[in-house]
Amino acid sequence: MRRLPTLIAAVTAAALAAAALTGSAAPAAAPAPPNVVFVLVDDLAWNLVQYMPQVQRLQRDGTTFTNYTVTDSLCCPSRSSIFTGKFPHDTGVFTNENPDGGFGVFRDRGNEQHTFATALQGRGYATAMMGKYLNGYLPKDLYQPPGWSEWDVAGNGYGEYNYNLDENGKLVPYGNADSDYLTDVVSAKGQAFIRRSAAAGQPFLLEIATFAPHGPFTPARQDLDKFPGLTAPRGPAFDTLPTDAPAWLAGNGPLTAAELQKIDTDFRKRAQAVQAVDRMIAGLRQTLADAGVAGKTYVVFSSDNGFHMGQHRLVEGKQTAFDHDVRVPLVVAGPSVTAGIERPQVVQNIDLAPTFERIGGAPVAADVDGRQLVTLLTGGTTAEWRTASLVEHHGPGTNADDPDVQDARNGMPTTYSAMRTATYTYVEYTDGEREYYDRGSDPNELHNVAGTLPAARLAALHDALTALVSCHTGAACWSAGHVA
């Protein structure tokens, strides 16, 4: 491997010499492929974007996908789909912990060998992973997955202070000083990585995955006085039980005064916590500009899942198939990306890996379930795009060590598969219950009308959902994603 640069130099010199002898011009060097900066936040719902001016600026500069959903509103399954472009039924990761989830299952099933990082590193990219990886990863093990040139990853970084980072095989402790705030630490490391890569003339992919605004919702100290008096939004679904609610939800009574107070307090803390994320986005983009590579870098912002706070009488949590949990922001700006528009196409987190691979000129494997988004980003034809997304969830989870463990008040849905189109959401639970929300007439998902649908319609929905759950290749999943 060490002889490769020497060999390339020799071949180049020979070509130049031949060109001089024949009088022909030397071939033009191929342009360097674009860079990717991917900011992935934890548990961010759409209702926090209004407090993030840098994300709003990114929207003005790029394209926002309004029907972007995750494959599971839970950290590890969603991130596994992002890395691989595959549904949970193909990654094998349905939860945050063994036996059917977590970092160990992701690794042991060979997923780490086939990520967008391995694909782009194979194309000559410098690749960096910073912040949060997968639930169950422990920095003390000093394990670095394949595909990453730089590795600065924490384990239990939810408190933002007093954590360890595995920094390229060295365990580095951080304390309780203002300068130890984790979002700020990975922001600085990300900017340094950009400067080094740009100076070396090497294309790069940087993923910074923050723990913010995941609970315990820890803001940077400089933001603790922000948004005085802010309360959680109280839309039509707030403290409202859907009609014909499934059994796991039907027993929830009205929110108590203490629950309401906690929801308001925590929502304010979440708005405060994303201020550091917003500053990070500004810092990264400024660094790209200063390094002269802003014009050839895609900047991508998204979340691993949403978060409910009082909607549908659920206190604080995720894991449901409701829109507040599965529909999250996806904003992309970069070379030839159409600025200031919204795209309504049904896209998912399985589409990110093939998109990054397409950007980097890497082949997309046939067993990747997702579809590249570059065509949509650059204003290309959008005919025949998929019409349905798939959500797969195993539950209820009860492990007290899981940072996402929930009780009935937070929401403990039983195992389900769900299909979401631009106009409706259909859910099948393993206990036989079903939900159907016509979001065209019921955008807040307050009326489960599955029991009123004709038998033929229910059979067609079941068959369509079964096809999605059963697909295992890009072609099969693309075909299954076209439903009525």
Side-chain angles (χ1 to χ4, degrees):
M1 294 300 293
R2 292 292 183 184
R3 298 179 56 195
L4 184 59
T6 303
L7 178 61
I8 292 173
V11 172
T12 303
L16 290 173
L21 288 172
T22 61
S24 60
N35 312 303
V36 177
V37 172
F38 177 31
V39 176
L40 180 67
V41 292
D42 198 343
D43 284 13
L44 181 136
W46 261 111
N47 57 23
L48 287 178
V49 171
Q50 61 188 310
Y51 306 106
M52 304 181 74
Q54 293 300 323
V55 173
Q56 295 168 35
R57 178 189 166 197
L58 196 67
Q59 289 183 285
R60 293 191 296 271
D61 293 342
T63 295
T64 301
F65 291 90
T66 57
N67 272 305
Y68 173 75
T69 56
V70 297
T71 53
D72 188 353
S73 183
L74 186 60
C75 296
C76 199
S78 177
R79 291 165 188 266
S80 299
S81 290
I82 289 171
F83 281 130
T84 62
K86 297 180 181 181
F87 287 119
H89 67 253
D90 281 330
T91 65
V93 180
F94 290 93
T95 64
N96 285 343
E97 298 185 337
N98 279 321
D100 62 351
F103 158 66
V105 169
F106 185 81
R107 177 197 57 206
D108 294 346
R109 287 179 60 96
N111 290 298
E112 289 184 326
Q113 306 295 328
H114 307 285
T115 67
F116 61 74
T118 58
L120 266 63
Q121 190 179 64
R123 299 292 293 182
Y125 273 67
T127 57
M129 177 71 210
M130 300 180 180
K132 179 178 178 179
Y133 183 46
L134 295 170
N135 295 73
Y137 174 83
L138 299 174
K140 68 180 179 64
D141 293 336
L142 300 179
Y143 170 79
Q144 182 171 335
W148 301 103
S149 311
E150 179 163 340
W151 184 258
D152 301 299
V153 173
N156 184 11
Y158 299 100
E160 298 284 348
Y161 300 99
N162 300 308
Y163 57 89
N164 294 320
L165 282 182
D166 175 350
E167 298 185 359
N168 298 311
K170 179 181 178 182
L171 191 65
V172 180
Y174 288 80
N176 196 44
D178 291 353
S179 60
D180 293 322
Y181 187 75
L182 179 53
T183 303
D184 294 341
V185 168
V186 293
S187 177
K189 288 182 178 294
Q191 292 174 46
F193 173 78
I194 290 171
R195 288 191 291 267
R196 289 195 304 272
S197 300
Q202 185 176 15
F204 59 86
L205 176 138
L206 166 65
E207 177 177 341
I208 297 188
T210 69
F211 285 79
H214 193 289
F217 321 120
T218 307
R221 293 186 181 114
Q222 69 185 87
D223 298 315
L224 289 171
D225 61 346
K226 303 286 176 63
F227 311 114
L230 182 64
T231 58
R234 282 160 167 74
F238 191 83
D239 201 13
T240 303
L241 198 66
T243 59
D244 200 18
W248 66 265
L249 175 59
N252 274 10
L255 300 175
T256 67
E259 289 170 337
L260 290 168
Q261 183 178 21
K262 186 176 188 303
I263 288 170
D264 286 337
T265 298
D266 288 347
F267 185 80
R268 182 187 180 209
K269 291 166 65 178
R270 282 168 59 79
Q272 292 170 337
V274 297
Q275 298 312 296
V277 176
D278 212 48
R279 287 192 296 272
M280 179 177 72
I281 293 171
L284 292 170
R285 297 189 74 187
Q286 185 62 53
T287 301
L288 292 169
D290 293 344
V293 294
K296 55 181 179 181
T297 302
Y298 290 87
V299 179
V300 182
F301 172 80
S302 192
S303 177
D304 61 353
N305 50 255
F307 200 74
H308 53 253
M309 301 191 79
Q311 298 98 322
H312 297 108
R313 288 192 181 165
L314 295 167
V315 181
E316 295 181 4
K318 46 200 177 183
Q319 304 186 29
T320 80
F322 289 120
D323 257 19
H324 45 63
D325 288 3
V326 300
R327 190 179 74 89
V328 297
L330 175 63
V331 185
V332 184
S336 301
V337 174
T338 309
I341 69 165
E342 294 183 344
R343 283 287 198 186
Q345 282 77 15
V346 174
V347 299
Q348 284 205 269
N349 54 357
I350 55 169
D351 299 326
L352 293 181
T355 298
F356 297 160
E357 291 165 3
R358 173 69 177 272
I359 288 171
V364 178
D367 63 351
V368 168
D369 300 331
R371 194 85 160 186
Q372 60 87 11
L373 300 175
V374 176
T375 305
L376 295 181
L377 290 168
T378 55
T381 178
T382 60
E384 302 301 324
W385 191 260
R386 79 164 71 89
T387 57
S389 59
L390 172 66
V391 183
E392 301 178 289
H393 178 75
H394 284 188
T398 57
N399 192 324
D401 294 331
D402 185 347
D404 295 319
V405 67
Q406 299 180 179
D407 61 19
R409 291 299 278 172
N410 304 114
M412 291 180 67
T414 52
T415 297
Y416 68 82
S417 299
M419 181 170 65
R420 183 191 183 278
T421 73
T423 58
Y424 68 81
T425 297
Y426 173 70
V427 189
E428 287 186 359
Y429 294 92
T430 52
D431 62 5
E433 290 194 281
R434 302 187 187 193
E435 290 178 285
Y436 183 97
Y437 297 97
D438 181 347
R439 298 194 326 278
S441 60
D442 179 26
N444 297 290
E445 299 169 301
L446 294 175
H447 303 288
N448 174 21
V449 297
T452 70
L453 297 179
R457 176 58 175 159
L458 285 173
L461 289 167
H462 172 76
D463 290 345
L465 179 56
T466 299
L468 275 168
V469 170
S470 303
C471 72
H472 298 290
T473 66
C477 293
W478 181 249
S479 177
H482 291 75
V483 304

